[in-house]
Amino acid sequence: MIKANDPTLKSWIDVAEDSDFPIQNIPFGIMKKGKNHRVVTIIGNQVIDLFELNKRGYFKPMVVPPAVLRNEYLNDFISLGKNKTGNIRERISDLFKKGSRKLKNNEKDRKAILNDVSKVELTMPVKVGDYTDFYSSRDHATNVGKMFRDPENALLPNWLHLPVGYHGRASSIVVSGTPIRRPKGQQIPADSKQPVYGPCKLLDFEMEVAFVIGKSTGLGETIHMKNAEDHIFGLTLFNDWSARDIQKWEYVPLGPFLGKNFGSSISPWIVTLEALEPFRTSSPKQTDPKPLPYLKNTSKRNYDIDLYVDIIPENGKGKTVCKTNFKYMYWNMCQQLVHHTVNGCNVNVGDMCASGTISGPERGSFGSMLEISWRGSMPVDMPDGSQRKFINDHDTVVMRGFGEKKGVRIGFGEVSGKILPAK
Ligand code: CA
């Protein structure tokens, strides 16, 4: 295990017990500074400017081109490769660990490098070239199959043989805090065979985790299970906003389209795969049927990360409507990536692959309102006396996620989005 994962490590920066960002995390993001952007990390509530660290010589003898750190996106930084970005994480860990005085005792440098998170604008961490959404939680796929098809044969015949996915829209992926406008579109009223056009009535979230490609491949190249993790830089929380009524009418025969591409929200920090190493856990048994050899999984490739979804009405108290876990995935990220490239499809640094809605076995662990309210038949009681079948205008949906082991909590921060009324 790399030094930065040592559970006894502490930082000279104060880190609250419930903080997602102890010195063991060191995720990466982008901060807006004047007209520029900077590559940043965070410890506790202090955002650390990597451009300033580099400029002031704290990365020496490593050579990091300044333009990589004064950049609108992390793509060039990620392209440095895992060896280099891993070394940068180790260096940051050394500089900020308890007992390290070089930077702590230099007030001028400290002031230039550290920023209180409450005063910082975090922007989209990566330029997403391509985005793919999978459908890899067995409980979610089973729930949806039960509701819309045959309860006896909820999973379609291909589902246990391959990680089902579709190509989504990269242009409408936005960072946490960006409001989401209720979409308008075609839908079929319950008592009609003719479509109408209007605001979506069944607006939903999907609790997902996305991985960011860290190493590109060429067209025609295939990624194999044994080196799939080399191509995954890190993870972010992902809310795949979904207009269920638009989706229901449009999705046959080619799959999701306008019911999905009006917006997806991500958390501003990319948590590296290395930081999540302590939370690696066994993957579900895949014996009936066995996947084809190219998808065969022989090691622990799931991650024990608790995930939460809160709905917060505009002037009311919020409620946690979902507590699930990333470990529930049937198809893991490596299998998804291997399958994605098995035909020679190339991937590029910054591309994003979302897990699909993550549902556990019980209602409280379902990752969408579609499942939690079972198509609206079981509304959720809110603290203010109102009920939710889906998401109302002015509601804010907040997703959080973290793993915790040996007193060290590695988290993602949050992804939040407020729904604005349709225009
Ligand atoms: Ca989805």
Side-chain angles (χ1 to χ4, degrees), residues 133-134 166 206 208 240 260 356-357:
D133 193 20
F134 285 93
Y166 68 94
E206 291 189 339
E208 306 194 20
D240 178 19
K260 296 281 190 179
T357 309

Side-chain angles (χ1 to χ4, degrees), residues 365-409:
S365 62
F366 293 169
S368 66
M369 288 305 285
L370 176 70
E371 295 160 271
I372 296 165
S373 77
W374 209 259
R375 288 177 91 176
S377 65
M378 295 164 73
V380 172
D381 293 320
M382 296 295 289
D384 63 3
S386 64
Q387 289 190 318
R388 291 292 181 285
K389 296 174 179 174
F390 290 91
I391 306 303
N392 289 359
D393 286 344
H394 311 294
D395 281 352
T396 300
V397 174
V398 179
M399 296 176 171
R400 294 166 288 132
F402 58 88
E404 202 159 11
K405 204 168 189 181
K406 293 185 182 163
V408 178
R409 164 168 160 160

Side-chain angles (χ1 to χ4, degrees), residues 46 76 112 117 145 148 155 289 306 336 342 358 382 398 403-404:
Q46 295 298 306
D76 291 346
V117 70
F148 293 102
L155 291 179
D306 283 326
Q336 291 173 335
V342 73
I358 302 162
M382 296 295 289
V398 179
E404 202 159 11

Side-chain angles (χ1 to χ4, degrees), residues 131 133-135 140 166 205-208 238-242 244 247 256 260 354-358:
Y131 151 57
D133 193 20
F134 285 93
Y135 188 59
H140 173 68
Y166 68 94
F205 60 80
E206 291 189 339
M207 173 77 244
E208 306 194 20
F238 193 99
N239 183 352
D240 178 19
W241 297 100
S242 299
R244 298 298 179 199
Q247 182 185 359
K260 296 281 190 179
S355 56
T357 309
I358 302 162

